[in-house]
Amino acid sequence: MAVRRSVLVALALYQSYMGLAETSGNPTHYGDPKTGCEADEQAVRVQGLAGDFCSPKCSSSGSCPSDVPQGDTAAPMCALRTTTGDKYCALKCQADSDCGTGACQKIMGIGLCTYSAAALISNVPALTAEVDVSTNPTHYGDPKTGCEADEQAVRVQGLAGDFCSPKCSSSGSCPSDV
């Protein structure tokens, strides 16, 4: 079952702010915007994450370019959608080691490879987007594979790891499908 989760994404061709408007310093897709994005990419920042990345549009069939930066093992996926319906690709990751020189940052249980954001991107207005993820078949699953629609990915301070947690009812009962 697929679930759509809303996150905010700032899509911007802000290379021109950095003097990179027509250059392409990255030899592959999904690179660091600081060195320039491919001609078919935009610099993307997901609101709530402290990083950005170059992102190509998804094809009409929902596929994404498979050329990733050297050292990356994260999987390209058509993961972002703007309020105007444009779909963009991202590298879905589980750990920093999946992202080569980048970092795996999680939002709503979904890991995306990012790079340290350029200072000027913070001035770019955010657009609403949705992230498509496959979810766990029951409650209390691993956020790496997506949480149910009524759950949030949570981490308990002092404990390693995270899990999907549903909101309990007003009477205090919680879902029992584990």
Side-chain angles (χ1 to χ4, degrees):
M1 173 166 75
V3 164
R4 296 194 189 280
R5 303 287 175 129
S6 293
V7 294
L8 295 178
V9 176
L11 299 175
L13 285 171
Y14 72 99
Q15 292 98 328
S16 59
Y17 296 128
M18 299 165 37
L20 300 170
E22 296 300 323
T23 64
S24 179
N26 290 311
T28 65
H29 289 92
Y30 314 103
D32 188 341
K34 288 182 192 141
T35 56
C37 296
E38 293 285 298
D40 63 340
E41 292 180 303
Q42 289 195 24
V44 172
R45 180 171 180 233
V46 177
Q47 188 171 357
L49 298 182
D52 55 4
F53 55 94
C54 294
S55 176
K57 275 192 174 183
C58 304
S59 73
S60 59
S61 66
S63 64
C64 294
S66 60
D67 60 320
V68 299
Q70 185 174 3
D72 282 20
T73 58
M77 66 180 284
C78 187
L80 308 173
R81 184 190 328 222
T82 67
T83 54
T84 60
D86 292 330
K87 295 180 181 182
Y88 289 85
C89 302
L91 292 179
K92 184 178 176 186
C93 56
Q94 295 183 1
D96 285 343
S97 60
D98 295 338
C99 299
T101 60
C104 183
Q105 295 191 42
K106 295 184 181 176
I107 186 161
M108 296 172 49
I110 307 302
L112 300 175
C113 289
T114 65
Y115 301 91
S116 297
L120 293 173
I121 189 70
S122 61
N123 297 326
V124 176
L127 302 172
T128 301
E130 295 177 336
V131 176
D132 292 330
V133 291
S134 299
T135 60
N136 292 302
T138 62
H139 287 94
Y140 311 103
D142 187 342
K144 291 176 186 165
T145 56
C147 297
E148 292 289 309
D150 63 340
E151 292 180 306
Q152 295 277 338
V154 298
R155 177 171 285 154
V156 178
Q157 187 173 0
L159 298 178
D162 52 2
F163 59 94
C164 296
S165 177
K167 187 173 184 177
C168 297
S169 71
S170 58
S171 66
S173 65
C174 298
S176 59
D177 60 320
V178 292

